[in-house]
Amino acid sequence: MQILAIATIVALLVACSSPESGSTSPRIPATPVGDQLRWLIGQLNGTSAPTERDISAHFAPEFLQGFPSEVLAQTLQQTSAQSGGVTLRGFSTPLDRAQAIALLETEQSVEGTREVAAYINVDPEEPHRITYLALSEPPYPSARDLATPGPYTGAFDAGEGREIFLTCSGSGSPTVILESGAGGGANAWVKVQPDVASFTRVCSYDRANIPGGASDPAPKPRTGKDVVADLHGALSAAGVPGPYVLVGHSDGGLFVRLYASTFPEDVAGMVLVDAVSEFEATVGPRMLKELLPPQEWKQYQAQLQQPAPPFVARVDDEQIDLERTFAETEAAASAHPLPPIPLFVLTRGTPTPPPPGASPVMAEAQEQLWMHVQGLLADLVPGAKHLVVEDSGHIIQEDEPQVVIDAIQEVVEGVRSPGSWSSDQ
């Protein structure tokens, strides 16, 4: 993960460094992360690169394993000659001692924008060296930025002294709860929530640790149980009326199913939007063994057996432990399967592009597996509806929002009038 972050740093440092402009800001606090951020901005605007000793003093050894100090020093030296520069404009979220999302402005446009964010973590223990760093686009608007005023909008106690920010709109029953995929919050539903609010009450929110989100942070890594506990606590504290129709995109599909198995009395319907599921872990290996040539299968097994790298906190990632969440969902669903509620499964019709260097054979096998487990989701309850959205990629609520809106409305009507629900397409 650090190597990917470093690649981003290299690309943007070239555009952002300057021998002329930009300066540190008095708004930077005198804290461990503030001190490192001040040093970083100085490098982005400096006339010469630091020495290898300087790099080693500011970056943790684990970080430099992926990007040796001499390479980083050379990169900074090359970028110091480039035109541009950065100015600190503020912070996306309140700072703590060990992490920050700093909002920067570049003197020259980078890929059509001058807005850049520095995502930085430092070791909480002395000497507080940088453990993670990435320069990328600023976070999306938070739930607070998008909030619709009302009795169920605001920051509500989720327990453990933390608050979760909900934004609810519309009126009527059932209440639709929108759960985003990895890294997304209320911002993921801007093309959906206003229309859903025209026919029922609907709420979206920012999970803990969403980059730039309006909810309080929580210890990492997290699991689906943590997400469910937060959401249930916030909905209860806000007094959001049930029953709920849960809508989950991608990883959010895992979370809403875990919620339904944990609090079955609260859930009356569900929409799964190209949802991740534990079936990928339970069915996946067996199916991939059948689909892959022997050599590809051996390579896949070897990758699975690689030891996981040590956990490193990243301010730009929720860091949900999916393996544990798969196990939690499987256990909960086994103990409390979904009852025969209205269920609509939406599946992308356009395959997700494989990562660079991926085997075409593996990419095809993974796509077949994805379509298979989407069918398994549709088999969770009798009469479920399943639609493959041909012209959409993974983020269906962005590519084809009306399809998602229509599916939600059908489930809402099915909850209101149970006799009206039919799986006939």
Side-chain angles (χ1 to χ4, degrees):
M1 301 298 290
Q2 291 175 338
I3 294 175
L4 293 176
I6 293 163
T8 306
I9 293 169
V10 172
L12 282 169
L13 284 178
V14 171
C16 298
S17 294
S18 172
E20 300 175 1
S21 63
S23 61
T24 57
S25 167
R27 292 176 292 175
I28 300 178
T31 62
V33 72
D35 293 343
Q36 294 290 16
L37 180 61
R38 185 178 296 106
W39 177 84
L40 172 66
I41 292 177
Q43 301 311 309
L44 296 178
N45 293 306
T47 57
S48 62
T51 65
E52 292 182 24
R53 179 177 296 181
D54 291 332
I55 294 291
S56 297
H58 286 277
F59 288 90
E62 305 82 46
F63 189 96
L64 295 175
Q65 285 179 0
F67 199 14
S69 58
E70 63 272 17
V71 177
L72 182 51
Q74 291 170 5
T75 302
L76 290 172
Q77 188 172 16
Q78 292 169 359
T79 59
S80 67
Q82 301 295 318
S83 62
V86 300
T87 302
L88 178 66
R89 293 304 185 194
F91 299 96
S92 177
T93 54
L95 303 185
D96 66 20
R97 289 172 51 83
Q99 66 181 29
I101 303 177
L103 304 178
L104 308 176
E105 182 177 334
T106 66
E107 188 168 308
Q108 290 188 341
S109 176
V110 180
E111 296 183 358
T113 181
R114 295 173 59 196
E115 297 179 348
V116 178
Y119 299 83
I120 182 171
N121 290 79
V122 303
D123 191 331
E125 304 297 330
E126 292 187 354
H128 306 301
R129 287 176 290 193
I130 296 170
T131 57
Y132 179 79
L133 176 64
L135 296 181
S136 187
E137 62 184 12
Y140 293 110
S142 71
R144 181 178 284 107
D145 298 325
L146 301 169
T148 300
Y152 310 114
T153 289
F156 298 97
D157 183 16
E160 301 179 343
R162 293 184 299 104
E163 293 184 328
I164 295 295
F165 198 100
L166 301 172
T167 174
C168 300
S169 48
S171 61
S173 181
T175 298
V176 172
I177 307 296
L178 302 172
E179 184 72 77
S180 68
N187 58 73
W189 302 101
V190 293
K191 293 185 177 182
V192 171
Q193 183 162 351
D195 285 62
V196 174
S198 70
F199 56 81
T200 198
R201 181 181 300 106
V202 55
C203 301
S204 59
Y205 77 111
D206 288 347
R207 291 190 294 270
N209 303 328
I210 293 292
S215 296
D216 290 338
K220 298 179 180 181
R222 310 200 81 211
T223 72
K225 277 189 175 181
D226 299 319
V227 172
V228 168
D230 276 3
L231 177 58
H232 182 70
L235 292 174
S236 299
V240 178
Y244 304 137
V245 168
L246 303 181
V247 182
H249 169 246
S250 194
D251 289 359
L254 269 176
F255 305 149
V256 299
R257 288 186 49 234
L258 183 54
Y259 191 108
S261 291
T262 307
F263 303 103
E265 67 281 0
D266 292 348
V267 180
M270 186 177 294
V271 179
L272 298 175
V273 185
D274 214 39
V276 170
S277 80
E278 76 282 9
F279 299 132
E280 295 169 51
T282 57
V283 178
R286 182 174 67 250
M287 186 171 175
L288 289 176
K289 185 177 181 179
E290 296 173 354
L291 292 172
L292 293 173
Q295 187 60 34
E296 292 269 1
W297 170 246
K298 289 181 181 179
Q299 293 175 359
Y300 174 73
Q301 284 185 305
Q303 291 174 355
L304 293 181
Q305 293 169 1
Q306 292 291 323
F311 177 79
V312 176
R314 295 177 49 187
V315 70
D316 64 348
D317 194 327
E318 293 179 84
Q319 296 184 293
I320 300 289
D321 187 330
L322 280 181
E323 185 174 345
R324 288 174 59 193
T325 303
F326 286 151
E328 292 170 349
T329 306
E330 183 181 9
S334 177
H336 299 285
L338 278 181
I341 59 175
L343 169 65
F344 208 130
V345 176
L346 298 174
T347 301
R348 67 174 185 249
T350 302
T352 297
S359 159
V361 175
M362 173 60 79
E364 175 60 27
Q366 293 281 11
E367 193 62 27
Q368 290 186 48
L369 171 61
W370 183 263
M371 299 303 291
H372 178 70
V373 299
Q374 292 290 300
L376 294 179
L377 288 173
D379 291 338
L380 287 173
V381 298
K385 301 183 182 184
H386 185 193
L387 175 64
V388 176
V389 188
E390 296 296 343
D391 295 329
S392 178
H394 180 54
I395 310 178
I396 302 176
Q397 70 270 27
E398 178 71 25
D399 294 345
E400 296 287 346
Q402 192 60 50
V403 173
V404 178
I405 294 163
D406 291 345
I408 294 172
Q409 187 163 20
E410 285 194 46
V411 170
V412 166
E413 293 302 327
V415 172
R416 289 172 174 170
S417 304
S420 67
W421 180 257
S422 170
S423 60
D424 295 336
Q425 297 294 309

